[in-house]
């Protein structure tokens, strides 16, 4: 049975499926418009337990999934959304022990996802405050599973070069990923994969043009759309809202000279 302990992440879900994320600390309290919930009421109880606030509001206490954590975690920069994080893992063929170059780090959503499936990361981030927030988010979600030897952050401008290769994979969330192709030509091993997340098609065009100059092959660009469905008895229809465009994913293989 999975029970909550001090230091665990907990998500309270109310009757309207609104979600509230926080870290359990003995003696602390969660405050909302619906009253107060003491952390001690949750610590030691099994996941899925009902919890009542001081004003009688009812919650269900669960441990957040990675997807839920990404959407609720503190952020300094915009995160890559779960609908794109899953495809990135497959497009980059991430597996335990794979050595990944990542830039920029942002709020740590991609780092957390990569580390959780066993990759080792060397990250370059230009802003020290973003790097600090990202590492804090990674540590917060992974908890005791966090291994600082597998997550090495450097306050560096990736456009100026890469000094920590060779790498099996490269994940880029940068405004000008085309400036990275000369550096990755030597930092990424032959057969390695680069995946770039870019919000605009203009960025895609420039990145694809740089990839075409080599030494890269099998370049493809795709967009992931996420449409939920409303299912209530016999009433079944697409949701009125959907997570449509967030960014484009471009991937390619680094080939031999």
């Amino acid at each position: 049975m999975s029970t909550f302990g001090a230091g665990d992440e907990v998500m309270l879900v109310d009757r309207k499926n609104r979600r509230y994320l926080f870290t359990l600390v003995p003696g602390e309290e969660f405050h909302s418009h619906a009253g107060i919930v003491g952390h001690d009421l949750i610590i030691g109880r099994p996941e899925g337990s009902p919890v009542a606030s001081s004003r009688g509001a009812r919650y269900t206490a669960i441990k957040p999934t990675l997807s839920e954590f990404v959407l609720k975690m503190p952020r300094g920069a915009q995160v890559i959304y779960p609908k794109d994080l899953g495809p990135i893992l497959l497009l980059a063929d991430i597996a335990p022990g794979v050595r990944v170059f990542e830039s920029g780090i942002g709020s740590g959503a991609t780092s957390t996802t990569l580390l959780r499936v066993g990759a080792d990361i060397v990250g370059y981030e230009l802003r020290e405050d973003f790097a600090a927030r990202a590492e804090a988010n990674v540590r917060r979600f992974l908890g005791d599973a966090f291994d600082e030897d597998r997550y090495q952050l450097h306050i560096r401008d990736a456009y100026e070069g890469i000094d920590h290769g060779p790498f099996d994979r490269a994940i880029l969330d940068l405004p000008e990923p085309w400036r990275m192709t000369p550096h990755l030509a030597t930092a990424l091993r032959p057969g390695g994969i680069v995946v770039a997340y870019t919000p605009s098609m203009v960025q895609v065009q420039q990145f694809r043009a740089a990839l075409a100059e080599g030494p890269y092959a099998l370049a493809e660009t795709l967009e992931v759309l996420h449409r939920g469905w409303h299912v209530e008895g016999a009433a079944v229809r697409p949701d009125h809202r959907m997570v449509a465009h967030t960014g484009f994913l471009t991937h390619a293989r680094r080939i031999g000279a």
Side-chain angles (χ1 to χ4, degrees):
M1 180 183 297
S2 177
T3 59
F4 290 103
D8 286 348
E9 295 299 309
V10 61
M11 181 172 289
L12 296 186
V13 183
D14 68 13
R15 291 181 175 178
K16 294 184 178 180
N17 285 330
R18 290 175 295 202
R19 294 163 168 82
Y20 306 90
L21 176 71
F22 54 93
T23 305
L24 290 171
V25 179
E28 294 290 327
E29 296 176 332
F30 165 72
H31 293 251
S32 76
H33 66 283
I36 299 171
V37 175
H39 292 201
D40 292 336
L41 293 177
I42 303 171
I43 294 173
R45 299 187 66 184
E47 183 178 5
S49 294
V51 179
S53 76
S54 59
R55 297 179 61 184
R58 305 291 294 180
Y59 300 95
T60 301
I62 58 175
K63 294 184 178 181
T65 64
L66 176 56
S67 176
E68 291 166 332
F69 180 78
V70 165
L71 294 175
K72 291 290 186 180
M73 72 185 190
R75 61 185 68 175
Q78 181 62 47
V79 299
I80 294 180
Y81 279 85
K83 78 176 184 67
D84 296 310
L85 290 172
I88 285 173
L89 291 179
L90 293 178
L91 292 173
D93 195 33
I94 302 298
V98 168
R99 195 161 189 262
V100 180
F101 172 77
E102 184 190 357
S103 189
I105 302 301
S107 296
T110 306
S111 296
T112 306
T113 305
L114 295 171
L115 288 167
R116 197 189 196 203
V117 298
D120 299 335
I121 299 174
V122 174
Y124 284 14
E125 173 55 56
L126 190 60
R127 291 185 52 169
E128 191 168 355
D129 57 333
F130 282 4
R133 185 181 295 272
E135 182 171 345
N137 283 332
V138 170
R139 287 178 178 271
R140 179 178 172 185
F141 184 80
L142 295 181
D144 293 340
F146 177 80
D147 184 350
E148 61 184 15
D149 291 333
R150 293 180 45 226
Y151 191 45
Q152 301 175 27
L153 291 184
H154 302 270
I155 308 303
R156 289 277 303 271
D157 185 345
Y159 296 144
E160 294 181 355
I162 304 171
D163 295 330
H164 298 82
F167 295 96
D168 303 304
R169 308 287 186 260
I171 310 295
L172 307 177
D173 182 11
L174 298 168
E176 300 176 317
W178 54 90
R179 294 174 59 183
M180 296 301 300
T181 55
H183 305 315
L184 291 174
T186 55
L188 196 61
R189 67 164 174 81
I193 301 172
V194 55
V195 179
Y197 174 90
T198 49
S200 86
M201 182 50 66
V202 174
Q203 293 168 302
V204 171
Q205 290 174 313
Q206 291 184 263
F207 185 49
R208 290 291 297 267
L211 291 172
E213 295 177 2
Y216 305 93
L218 303 175
E220 295 181 344
T221 299
L222 59 93
E223 180 182 17
V224 179
L225 307 180
H226 181 125
R227 185 175 74 172
W229 280 71
H230 173 85
V231 179
E232 187 175 350
V236 179
R237 56 167 173 75
D239 283 337
H240 293 308
R241 291 184 177 183
M242 68 177 289
V243 183
H245 176 73
T246 50
F248 300 101
L249 299 175
T250 300
H251 62 103
R253 299 293 289 264
R254 178 352 193 151
I255 58 175

